[in-house]
Each structure stands twice: as C-alpha cells, then as structure tokens.
Amino acid sequence: MDGKTGVGVRPLRADARRNHDRLLAVARTAFAERGTDTSLEDVARRAGVGIGTLYRHFPTRHALLSAVFQSEVDVLLDRSRELLDAEQPCTALIEWLRAIITHAAVYRGLARALMSASGDASSALARCSEPMREAGDALLVRAREAGSVRADVTIADLMQLTNAIALAAEQSPDDPELADRLLALTYRGLKG
C-alpha cells in the first residue's frame, strides 16, 4: 500500500524516522547548493548515515528527488488551483509556468532530471510530475476554452518547454532575464 493512507504500511521506528527526515533535509540543502547530481554518498555521509540507510529509504536518486521536492510541488499545485479562477486564463497558465521555472531554478539539475523522467511513468519523479501535468492541463483547458490558446497545444509539450526554459536559464546564469524572454516567446506562440 502507500505511505499517504497508511494502509498496509508500518510506521517507521523513531530512529528510522529521524534518519529519513535528516536525509531529506541534507539532500534538500545539497541539491540547492551543488545541484541534483550531488553524490548520494556525500548526502548520506553529511546526514550521518551509511549509503545503505539512504537506499533503504530512497532506493533511487529519483525517489530521493521526488521526496525532496514534494512540498514544493504541493505549493505549485495549490497555486494552480488558485489560478483556475483568474480572469485571464492564458495569463494564469503563463504565471503558473513561471512559478515552475522559478522553483526549478532553486535546484540546479532539476529541470534536466524532470525532462529525463518525463516519459517514464515508472520513475519515482512521476509521483511529482503526474499531479503537475493534471494541474497544468486544467489551466490549459480553461485557456483553450476561452479561445486564448491554440487547440494543438498539449500540456506534455508545455511541461517539456517549461523544463527546457528552466534548463536554458540554469546554463546562462549571467542572463537573469532569459527565462522571462523565453516565456514571453512561449506566450506569443500559444496564441498562434
């Protein structure tokens, strides 16, 4: 079963819970400081546990990434629900995409990881990306129904494009306006 409902899942012992929480905190800091390709051995060492303990809690890098980013994903999902009532549906969609780019900018390598996992439903990152696609699709459908977005635009394409913009901005730290310029081009392209 799953950890959200608690059905069929034994609660972690207190020491295991502490290790889990410490690994998440250290990973969050390491990913923000050094990027998502930070050595997992380094994360385990900084958390004061062995690599086996890390892998017991997070069997893959994507599982650790997913756990680290879940709270930020929840914030982005909340924001998408708020934007569903916006007067300008296309502007709301672009605002939400900008929030995703801003989030990705905090963790060097996140956009690349999301792009690489986008077609893999079995990836642990799908736990984050599927709800994001659904939230984005609701905003896209609303914008399409308002006549402000072309009919052939898909949420899958928009999510890949958003990750590509975040990756481009990450690769061009001397151009802080790049993401906004690329998002403005995207906005014009959505209208056809």
Side-chain angles (χ1 to χ4, degrees):
M1 303 295 162
D2 69 62
K4 288 188 177 192
T5 63
V7 177
V9 176
R10 290 191 333 222
L12 292 176
R13 295 182 332 255
D15 62 329
R17 169 57 55 198
R18 280 190 302 276
N19 287 341
H20 179 273
D21 294 346
R22 194 168 43 248
L23 282 163
L24 282 177
V26 168
R28 185 174 286 112
T29 300
F31 292 161
E33 291 174 353
R34 295 184 302 281
T36 59
D37 58 351
T38 294
S39 160
L40 296 185
E41 288 81 4
D42 186 48
V43 170
R45 184 179 43 72
R46 287 174 173 240
V49 300
I51 191 67
T53 298
L54 183 144
Y55 282 121
R56 267 192 303 283
H57 288 283
F58 308 103
T60 66
R61 178 178 297 275
H62 282 178
L64 180 57
L65 288 171
S66 178
V68 165
F69 303 132
Q70 189 59 54
S71 63
E72 287 94 350
V73 167
D74 291 342
V75 169
L76 290 168
L77 294 175
D78 289 345
R79 184 67 183 133
S80 73
R81 287 187 284 275
E82 293 168 5
L83 289 168
L84 278 173
D85 295 326
E87 283 186 40
Q88 301 292 322
C90 189
T91 303
L93 175 62
I94 293 297
E95 183 178 327
W96 189 69
L97 296 176
R98 180 174 283 112
I100 293 171
I101 293 167
T102 300
H103 160 66
V106 173
Y107 300 100
R108 190 176 69 250
L110 176 58
R112 185 178 59 250
L114 291 171
M115 289 176 81
S116 72
S118 69
D120 183 2
S122 67
S123 167
L125 282 175
R127 187 174 126 217
C128 291
S129 62
E130 274 310 305
M132 292 287 287
R133 281 183 198 272
E134 291 169 10
D137 197 45
L139 291 167
L140 175 60
V141 165
R142 189 166 176 268
R144 194 180 296 130
E145 288 172 351
S148 54
V149 172
R150 298 176 3 198
D152 64 337
V153 175
T154 68
I155 194 58
D157 289 345
L158 278 180
M159 296 303 284
Q160 282 291 75
L161 186 57
T162 300
N163 286 324
I165 291 170
L167 184 57
E170 175 185 308
Q171 297 299 312
S172 303
D174 295 336
D175 187 356
E177 305 301 319
L178 179 62
D180 283 334
R181 287 195 317 274
L182 294 175
L183 203 51
L185 287 171
T186 300
Y187 181 69
R188 287 192 292 275
L190 289 175
K191 295 180 173 195

